[in-house]
Amino acid sequence: MPKKQQKQRVWKEIQRYIILFIGSIIYAAGLEIFLVPNNVIDGGVVGIAIMASHLTGLPLGIFLITINIPFIYLGYKQIGKTFTLSTIFSIIILSYFTKMFLPIPGFTDDLFLASIFGGIILGIGVGLIVRYGGSLDGSEIVAILMDKQSSFSVGEIVMIINLFILSGAGLVFGWDRAMYSLVTYFIASKVIDIVIEGLDESKAVIIVSDHSASIAEALMARLGRGVTILHGEGAYKGDEKHILYTVITRLEMAKFKSLVSEIDEDAFITINDVHDVMGGTFKKRAIH
């Protein structure tokens, strides 16, 4: 590998670990400044660690590391070395800074505010860590492994695991705290999606219309999007169909629907989430 490429690769790795470091600090701040002082928990291993720390009086960081050890081993075996090293680094930083933030008094004793702002801050921290190849939660690793052996998706398995953990919070802290923890978990999950995918979350669109040529021209001219025309056949009548495929951002969704409706109100449209877009003409062209 040329020296220049090698330097670029090293610099990218350094940048990645800086982001993991920042994400871990943000998450630790959300825990110690908003959630832990109000006995509100997050889901997964972190939630178990908060309850264990409360019941034993031992530092939270100890449980964050010890409970995650078997999951880190599973991650190394099943997912890979890079993911494992990133996860170990993130968990160590998180554990250290939960101790550093411990003397800082909670910003609010209002449970609703603590749940909302704690969830936002946790979501930002986790989103950065996941986006750059790490994890703080062993339950996600278990979910990935269980997904291969069951009909449930990773998201569904994580939700089931967290329902048990949040039920445990009801027994340890009271059912009102468990319900506030559920609010935190919901908000954090939404913020994680925004951080990972960005506000310009992409959508794949398929359009079946008798006016496909006009719609394709409008999409290219007015939205600046490349369009692929697929050739199909109607199953009922056997007539030839031109199927349009394109990718737009979430922020363009309203304009897209209005544009298609102007040309063909009866157009058949399906819209799906897209997690990554590479190559092609997805980058928006300047529209004059």
Side-chain angles (χ1 to χ4, degrees), residues 17-214:
Y17 274 93
I18 290 172
I19 299 296
L20 292 174
F21 182 82
I22 293 170
S24 300
I25 293 176
I26 291 172
Y27 190 91
L31 281 181
E32 290 293 351
I33 294 175
F34 288 96
L35 301 190
V36 174
N38 292 287
N39 292 330
V40 176
I41 72 168
D42 187 20
V45 167
V46 175
I48 297 172
I50 291 172
M51 289 187 285
S53 175
H54 175 79
L55 293 171
T56 63
L58 295 173
L60 175 60
I62 291 175
F63 292 104
L64 289 172
I65 293 174
T66 55
I67 297 174
N68 267 305
I69 287 173
F71 302 116
I72 292 170
Y73 177 76
L74 283 174
Y76 174 73
K77 286 291 186 181
Q78 300 293 330
I79 301 176
K81 183 179 177 181
T82 300
F83 169 80
T84 305
L85 290 175
S86 300
T87 299
I88 290 171
F89 176 81
S90 301
I91 291 171
I92 289 173
I93 298 300
L94 170 63
S95 301
Y96 176 77
F97 276 94
T98 54
K99 183 179 179 181
M100 295 297 292
F101 288 132
L102 185 60
I104 300 175
F107 280 13
T108 178
D109 56 5
D110 184 305
L111 289 174
F112 189 62
L113 289 176
S115 301
I116 291 175
F117 284 94
I120 291 171
I121 294 171
L122 261 59
I124 293 170
V126 174
L128 288 173
I129 291 167
V130 172
R131 183 167 182 167
Y132 286 86
S135 175
L136 290 173
D137 193 346
S139 65
E140 292 173 3
I141 299 171
V142 173
I144 292 169
L145 300 179
M146 288 179 66
D147 176 56
K148 298 175 183 178
Q149 309 295 329
S150 71
S151 58
F152 295 103
S153 69
V154 172
E156 289 169 339
I157 294 169
V158 169
M159 177 61 77
I160 292 168
I161 292 171
N162 283 325
L163 284 175
F164 281 105
I165 293 169
L166 293 173
S167 297
L171 296 172
V172 175
F173 298 121
W175 294 109
D176 60 335
R177 297 304 200 274
M179 287 185 278
Y180 281 113
S181 297
L182 189 59
V183 171
T184 297
Y185 174 73
F186 177 78
I187 292 172
S189 66
K190 295 301 178 184
V191 175
I192 289 168
D193 289 341
I194 292 172
V195 173
I196 293 174
E197 298 173 6
L199 289 172
D200 286 342
E201 180 185 347
S202 302
K203 303 283 184 180
V205 179
I206 295 175
I207 309 161
V208 181
S209 169
D210 292 330
H211 304 278
S212 55
S214 299

